[in-house]
Amino acid sequence: MSAPAEEKSSFVINGKSWSGAVHPLKRLLDTIREDVGLTGTKEGCGEGECGACTVFLDGQVVMSCMVPTCQAEGKQITTIEGLAENGRLHPMQESFAQEGGAQCGICTPGMIMAAVAYARDPGSAEDMREALAGNLCRCTGYIRIFEAVKKAMAK
Amino acid sequence: MASSEYTEVVVEGRKVRLRAPAAEAIPAYGAATRVVGTAAQRVDALEKVTGRAVYPSDLRLPGMVHARFVRSARAHARITSMDLSHAEKVPGFLAAIGPSELSEKSLKDMLGRELPILTEEPKYYGEEILAVCAETDDAARAAAREVRITYETLPFSVDPEERVRAGQFVGGGWTPTGPGRPAVYERGNVQKAMAAANRIIERTYRTAPNVHSSIEPHAAVASYEEGRWTVWESTQGVFAVREELAAMLGAPLLSVRVIGTHMGGGFGSKVSAGKYTFIAAYLAKKLGRPVRCVQDRSEEFVSPYGRPPSVVTIKAAVRPDGKLLAIEQKGIHAAGPYGFGAEWGHAEDMAAEMYACDNVRTETYAALTHTPPPCAMRAPGHAQAAFSLEQMMDEIAREIGMDPVEFRLKNLPARDPVSGKPIAVPRGSHGLAECLKKGGELFQWKKRRKETRDAPPPRFRRGVGVAATAWSAGGGPPASVVIRIHADGVAELFAGAADIGTGTRTALAQIASEETGVPVDRIRVTNADTALTSYCLPSYGSLTLASTGPAVRRAAVACRRQLLSIASDILEAPEKNIVLAGGRATRPASRKTPESSVPIAKLVELSASREIVGLGEREGNPDMSIRSHGAQFVAVEVDTETGTIEVTDLVAVNDSGRVINPTMFKSQQYGGVTMGLGMGLTEERVYDLETGRPLNPNLTDYKVPTILDQPAAFQAVPLEVPYDGNNLGAKGLGEPPIIPTAAAVANAVYDAIGIRLAALPLTPKRVIDALHPPESKP
Ligand code: FES
Ligand code: FES
């Protein structure tokens, strides 16, 4: 087996340029966690099933475990660490904290990212459920999460 | 409360009764509490919503390398050859460990049964054979894939009933019976009672294998420096992991430090050290570099975790007036090939304990199947048992024309039928009776029951059902806690307990705040670190709050006394007139003097020790059967064409004594019930009978509930039935909510379609097959 060929990769993450040498097929999730060093984005399955790894890629919701790093080339990535602005929490983060939307908290970053994406173009309560249906949580039974999103939307 | 709990131990062959240490009584809370009972925001909420909370699977240490397992591709086999030559060529490959190197190493269950860490004769699909280690996780995976193994396939069976027929079982209870003998419990004379009874009902129920599916997989990172290990583990119990790991490593306890501050869910699967823990620690020493060993999602489905499937045949006799006369139950559950963890499938306790019944006999067979060894999963045994027992209660009630709620009320025990101890029943009310009554009211049980009974049969059939639960949840020693209040008024609380997502850290801070007056947001909780906190049991069995909480209160009261003594001198008022709250000691205004107050920080600064320290230990429990109770009422709509069951309404009422934080209490109810809905409707680890392989080792095909699966109306109701068995008045809640859910749904389905579904999960196919039995299909 030949050594995996690393290539130079560059993108903007949470408003800051980043470049480094990574294998082009390395999962974006791993690049974010290992190379960029931001571990707020979690791995729950690595197979696109749980949503714990949800980030924005050029504003679109993606599961970063399913995206090869080369696909992020030159693009804008937002992770949970990039939601707060000027030291102020995003209303969705605030609301999750206040409403008890996080229990063990491992699904929380991904859940908040999905909720923030939904909030940009909201619909009915049913649409809200649809938007979060790809994010699994084993602790909360989703009730406090649902309430947290509703409350953030009302702000 | 006097400590009257005894533990019987054997010392050099002699039985000794150990008393819990005597402790000064701490008065119960007064009528009003300021912090306890409020919906305080979680103390770690900000860390969690910002992604700053670091979980063991997040940890990246300098020089860290990665370990992965090579797992068996057969359900039972002897390994004839292992070729590592390709794996060793993978760039970044560092080391491989095989079974011969670790032949002496094993995990042990509660009864001392062993599970090898690595094996040359795998006995279930996915059993760990080798561990490989490489510079990167990708390289470790690649190396694991490149190991070539040849097998001589051996006969296997994943079917527990088949194994029992073949005599391959052990007793499945809490005392080992040895091979080929079931665990038996008996009281009264079941045979005689059955012979005399004229109404006997018998039915066989099946529950499916479930998998915990915590969103953070099992994970450990270990480093070894100067003869000491530091292990960051996603665990429910740092002290349990330390003890087990030190024993396996043959090292002194103090050479192992285990840290488990944040962890991403456990539900019973992270109570002990895992194979991954040992491998990380072992390799860390061997390689002199930190080692990370984290499981993939697919591995979570083949490693030694999960709720074992059960087959329970239950037979009951009842008098026409609704008195239960006899219960006989035979339970079989899968216990994996080693019998390791067999006790976690024991579904017989609930049948023996739940209701007053003079004649009970249970037999438990733990089948030695070629499936992963089971472990505790939220309400182990009880969640399975409730499916049969609570449907049986429903069936009997209908048979004798009694309301199922009334039938249960009629058979509530005043004493624990097994231990004979009184059940903590305050002021003549029974927690379960209260839950059933309250839930019935909120759900409008009587009215809705009548509505559904009278409804004509259209395509969508509606039904309602109820089921109940009891769970021993008194907590108890050991738990000791230290609180230090510093000269800036910030308090540190040190407790060994893990916060597994239930909110332990926050609840403990609230309890400390109540006594000391230090606001919750000025209390830093350091928990689950064997080097910094004192010993406590793992967070399992719904015991965390009721164990550690009273110790926190005791420590906080010790601090309070010191603060009051100084405050009394400064404010020139008797201690009893001083209020500690909001970070200040305040003497309220009286007729003669205006209010005056002093910051707690000042009191600490002026104290002789320049720091206020309080130590609290958990006192013993009263000699009683301490139970948390719960009842669930559900309404379903069954589509008779597609077989889908929709749970439209659900009311869950739980009594666990005092509620420390209502938001967190309800979250436990919501989360537990939801897991119960998964167990009831969708979750099943499916095995291929031809190969013994799990067919759905992923979260797409193993269906845990999503936000779309929630009942449209879902009410979680805390019911605070007063309890005074510990200084908080609180009991545990983690497990009770999952127990009755599947049975309540099944009872509602019966109400809707008149057919008793006897196997979980209640899939559309099972509904259709029940409505149109396959043989009668055209
Ligand atoms: S980790 Fe990416 S979807 Fe689960
Ligand atoms: S909070 Fe634990 S998985 Fe969602």
Side-chain angles (χ1 to χ4, degrees), chain B residues 179-451:
Chain B
R181 283 179 44 217
V184 178
Y185 166 80
E186 190 159 18
R187 70 169 179 263
N189 188 330
V190 167
Q191 243 186 344
K192 225 170 104 192
M194 292 275 183
N198 52 8
R199 280 173 205 266
I200 296 176
I201 301 178
E202 177 174 347
R203 202 177 278 277
T204 297
Y205 292 94
R206 289 181 161 74
T207 67
N210 294 154
V211 181
H212 301 74
S213 308
S214 310
I215 302 300
E216 183 182 39
H218 290 82
V221 174
S223 76
Y224 180 80
E225 270 167 50
E226 294 173 27
R228 298 179 67 156
W229 284 269
T230 306
V231 179
W232 291 264
E233 167 108 354
S234 183
T235 183
Q236 298 173 233
V238 286
F239 287 94
V241 171
R242 180 183 71 165
E243 265 170 40
E244 293 157 0
L245 191 56
M248 283 191 278
L249 293 165
L253 276 185
L254 282 186
S255 67
V256 178
R257 174 183 183 185
V258 181
I259 303 172
T261 309
H262 291 295
M263 59 88 69
F267 312 106
S269 73
K270 295 176 180 169
V271 169
S272 309
K275 298 183 184 184
Y276 57 92
T277 320
F278 177 80
I279 291 296
Y282 182 83
L283 280 167
K285 180 173 179 190
K286 186 167 172 159
L287 301 174
R289 295 173 70 178
V291 177
R292 175 181 193 260
C293 193
V294 177
Q295 299 202 153
D296 273 345
R297 181 54 54 186
S298 64
E299 295 180 281
E300 293 285 299
F301 288 87
V302 296
S303 35
Y305 306 106
R307 186 192 301 285
S310 69
V311 183
V312 170
T313 301
I314 182 167
K315 187 172 165 184
V318 63
R319 230 166 39 195
D321 69 351
K323 168 95 187 79
L324 263 176
L325 295 174
I327 298 175
E328 192 174 2
Q329 178 165 314
K330 180 180 158 187
I332 295 175
H333 64 264
Y338 301 96
F340 177 94
E343 67 275 19
W344 300 122
H346 193 246
E348 279 51 58
D349 293 341
M350 192 168 169
E353 289 166 3
M354 181 83 181
Y355 296 107
C357 178
D358 293 337
N359 307 290
V360 175
R361 186 173 198 284
T362 69
E363 270 180 23
T364 314
Y365 298 76
L368 300 174
T369 47
H370 295 93
T371 53
C375 85
M377 179 164 168
R378 203 169 199 165
H382 273 51
Q384 297 93 300
F387 185 63
S388 37
L389 180 66
E390 288 300 286
Q391 283 205 73
M392 176 55 92
M393 294 299 282
D394 195 68
E395 191 167 354
I396 298 175
R398 284 171 186 275
E399 175 83 14
I400 60 174
M402 196 178 265
D403 182 314
V405 170
E406 259 143 55
F407 176 51
R408 285 180 176 85
L409 292 176
K410 203 173 163 83
N411 288 285
L412 293 186
R415 285 181 170 269
D416 187 310
V418 175
S419 67
K421 293 180 183 181
I423 291 172
V425 176
R427 292 179 215 144
S429 75
H430 192 294
L432 184 49
E434 302 280 315
C435 290
L436 283 164
K437 284 180 199 152
K438 180 82 188 169
E441 270 164 43
L442 291 169
F443 187 82
Q444 298 191 285
W445 169 250
K446 286 218 162 84
K447 176 164 162 269
R448 294 180 73 171
R449 211 170 157 247
K450 204 146 165 285
E451 280 168 10

Side-chain angles (χ1 to χ4, degrees), chain B residues 745-757:
Chain B
V745 172
N747 288 338
V749 170
Y750 179 87
D751 192 46
I753 62 171
I755 300 174
R756 208 152 273 288
L757 294 182

Side-chain angles (χ1 to χ4, degrees), chain A residues 5-25:
Chain A
E6 294 188 342
E7 286 173 16
K8 184 165 181 261
S9 153
S10 329
F11 46 73
V12 177
I13 183 160
N14 300 332
K16 290 196 198 108
S17 312
W18 184 87
S19 64
V22 292
H23 191 283
L25 295 183

Side-chain angles (χ1 to χ4, degrees), chain A residues 29 42-53 63-66:
Chain A
L29 170 66
K42 306 299 180 193
E43 172 168 0
C45 69
E47 307 179 322
E49 296 156 356
C50 74
C53 63
M63 296 196 185
S64 62
C65 70
M66 302 299 282

